[in-house]
Amino acid sequence: GIGNYQVWVRVDGGPLKPWASLREPSITYTGQSGHTYGFAVRAVDKAGNYIPEPTAVQTSTYVP
């Protein structure tokens, strides 16, 4: 099973940076108006297995 989720964020096209590690697949990111945010997530199983760190965003949003 899943042990935790690791979340990365990219602000305005900058580098992906680690942001959060959590056990439940839900979290809220509060952005600032006028910025674009990209996110990537990977799951780590309870045995500690995982894929490499993400190099691209999986989804993005703009805060008007």
Side-chain angles (χ1 to χ4, degrees):
I2 302 296
N4 67 59
Y5 298 89
Q6 297 173 337
V7 184
W8 282 260
V9 65
R10 172 180 285 165
V11 180
D12 294 330
L16 270 172
K17 294 184 180 182
W19 173 59
S21 181
L22 53 141
R23 295 199 185 278
E24 298 298 322
S26 177
I27 193 167
T28 300
Y29 185 91
T30 302
Q32 296 179 352
S33 180
H35 294 279
T36 300
Y37 299 92
F39 299 92
V41 179
R42 76 172 172 182
V44 179
D45 70 15
K46 291 180 181 176
N49 299 305
Y50 54 86
I51 60 173
E53 290 184 8
T55 58
V57 299
Q58 297 162 333
T59 190
S60 62
T61 189
Y62 174 74
V63 180

